[in-house]
Amino acid sequence: MTIDKSALGFGTGERAIYATDPWTTRGRLFAEGGSPTRSDFQRDRDRIVHTTAFRRLKHKTQVFIGPDGDHYRTRLTHTIEVAQIARALARALKLDEDLAEGVALVHDFGHTPFGHTGEDALHEVLAPYGGFDHNAQSLRIVTKLERRYAEFDGLNLTWETLEGLVKHNGPLQTKAGEGTRGPVPQPILDYCELHDLELASYAGLEAQVAAIADDIAYNTHDIDDGLRSGYLSFDMLEEVPFLAALMKEVRDRYPHLEPDRFTHEIMRRQITRMVEDVIGVAQARLAELRPCSAADIRGAPHTIATFSDEMAETDRQIKKLLFSRIYRHPDIMRIRAGAAQIVTDLFHAYMADPALMKSHYWVNHMAGLNEPARARHVGDYLAGMTDTYAVRTHSELFDRTPDLR
């Protein structure tokens, strides 16, 4: 994909006409005075970084559970890598970098312990009560569950940051109000009754670059971690022509490179090519759309920041490789089964005796709640757990805890 280098925003400090303007934000659910030193999006980013939910990400699984080794990505290091890529894309496209970074930093707040395994297990036990969705849980955290401020629950983030959190992967509803990917989770619908996030439109371009940065980050670092673990080999990477070409490029230039450096040279090239592809596609789509405001981006008929058809095919091939060689590997599946059992056991234990949730602030009020409300609070408590806390708590309540090594 060809890039117009003259249109890039590197070092200019200039914001494009279609960027989201921090000085004309749609505001917060609870009105607050402005800051003389920071824009509202900078304040959002800072609030996100200082949360308990952000700190918990350091002990939540990305792919490999903590005991596997200190050098594997966690949900926190993944988030930081996403934020770095999102900020780079935002700078190139002359967007508001702080908003893009804020959406990237908050996008995984709702993830459970043990990654998608924990999410699947929690969704299954909560199915009679509306299920579990990590994106909706992220919204619950920043609008209800973080308890830091004297005048409101949550973080009272701006409309634009919340819109990006909820819609970074695209509209959640059609214009007719039907869910684009199944029913819209109830927590999102409930919040929109108070603060309409316009679920039928695309999010601003800052949120879109955060979303594609997520794909770029995990496509790259899961390969890196897979090679480190031994589940992947360089020969396996040859199954993807894009990766095979990168390896040939590195070998031709550095024929005697040691494996660790060889891996890094592949990964940095992969990130660069994918970022440049997104920039080229976005520039082409912006030239076609000719937006005059962020509202024009939201009203566009398609995503602006995305892969070209060729890179999208590469993305599919990489995901297929990762699923077959890592995510569905028998060793990983055994660990996943144990992790799912921990989450399931804890849910049933807390539903039977909510007093076991000693540190949950709702525990003294749960006796009078109906079963669906009680289940949602148990889900909140479980979703907030780190891997380490979930394992330790399970070992305190049960005679046998699955070995996740």
Side-chain angles (χ1 to χ4, degrees), residues 32 73 75 98 161 174 219 246 254 265 267 275 283 286 297 304 313 316 319 330 333 337 355 362 373-375 400:
E32 296 183 53
R73 270 73 173 185
R75 190 64 62 174
D98 300 310
T161 298
T174 66
N219 275 346
L246 294 182
Y254 307 107
E265 289 294 330
M267 297 301 99
V275 165
Q283 286 181 334
L286 289 167
I297 298 292
I304 302 298
E313 175 57 29
R316 285 189 288 271
K319 286 181 170 64
M333 295 302 290
W362 272 99
R374 188 166 73 251
R400 182 182 177 279

Side-chain angles (χ1 to χ4, degrees), residues 109-328:
F109 266 24
H111 269 291
T112 64
F114 315 122
H116 289 287
T117 298
E119 179 176 7
D120 292 344
L122 196 51
H123 178 66
E124 183 173 344
V125 294
L126 282 172
Y129 315 104
F132 179 85
D133 175 86
H134 77 263
N135 206 38
Q137 189 67 17
S138 295
L139 183 66
R140 280 179 63 78
I141 289 169
V142 300
T143 59
K144 287 181 177 292
L145 302 181
E146 281 282 335
R147 296 164 60 85
R148 310 178 63 81
Y149 297 93
E151 297 183 359
F152 47 79
D153 289 338
L155 307 183
N156 200 31
L157 301 176
T158 61
W159 184 92
E160 291 82 1
T161 298
L162 293 175
E163 179 214 30
L165 187 164
V166 167
K167 300 191 304 187
H168 58 274
N169 286 321
L172 272 64
Q173 289 181 333
T174 66
K175 299 298 183 183
E178 299 175 350
T180 56
R181 294 182 290 277
V184 178
Q186 193 61 44
I188 295 177
L189 294 175
D190 290 343
Y191 185 79
C192 286
E193 287 292 321
L194 302 173
H195 201 194
D196 185 9
L197 299 177
E198 300 176 1
L199 301 182
S201 68
Y202 283 90
L205 197 43
E206 288 82 1
Q208 294 185 30
V209 300
I212 198 67
D214 188 26
D215 280 351
I216 294 171
Y218 73 70
N219 275 346
T220 307
H221 64 50
D222 285 3
I223 292 174
D224 189 13
D225 284 349
L227 290 168
R228 183 185 300 277
S229 70
Y231 289 117
L232 284 181
S233 67
F234 295 127
D235 286 344
M236 293 176 188
L237 301 191
E238 297 281 354
E239 298 173 16
V240 179
F242 172 80
L243 298 176
L246 294 182
M247 287 191 290
K248 182 180 185 305
E249 181 181 315
V250 175
R251 288 191 182 108
D252 287 348
R253 183 167 182 177
Y254 307 107
H256 305 297
L257 204 57
E258 63 198 74
D260 285 350
R261 293 180 193 266
F262 182 65
T263 298
H264 180 67
E265 289 294 330
I266 298 167
M267 297 301 99
R268 64 193 291 258
R269 283 167 172 76
Q270 179 177 341
I271 292 173
T272 297
R273 303 293 164 77
M274 287 185 160
V275 165
E276 290 176 349
D277 183 81
V278 172
I279 293 170
V281 170
Q283 286 181 334
R285 293 191 172 190
L286 289 167
E288 180 182 354
L289 183 65
R290 301 181 69 180
C292 294
S293 66
D296 289 344
I297 298 292
R298 294 186 174 93
H302 49 64
T303 304
I304 302 298
T306 189
F307 290 134
S308 65
D309 290 344
E310 295 79 9
M311 191 61 77
E313 175 57 29
T314 291
D315 176 63
R316 285 189 288 271
Q317 292 172 1
I318 290 173
K319 286 181 170 64
K320 180 179 178 181
L321 173 72
L322 293 171
F323 268 91
S324 63
R325 299 293 188 174
I326 301 179
Y327 307 153
R328 296 294 181 262

Side-chain angles (χ1 to χ4, degrees), residues 48 98-107 160-161 164-165 168 206-207 210:
I48 290 162
D98 300 310
L99 177 57
E101 183 180 22
V103 174
L105 290 172
V106 79
H107 85 283
E160 291 82 1
T161 298
L165 187 164
H168 58 274
E206 288 82 1

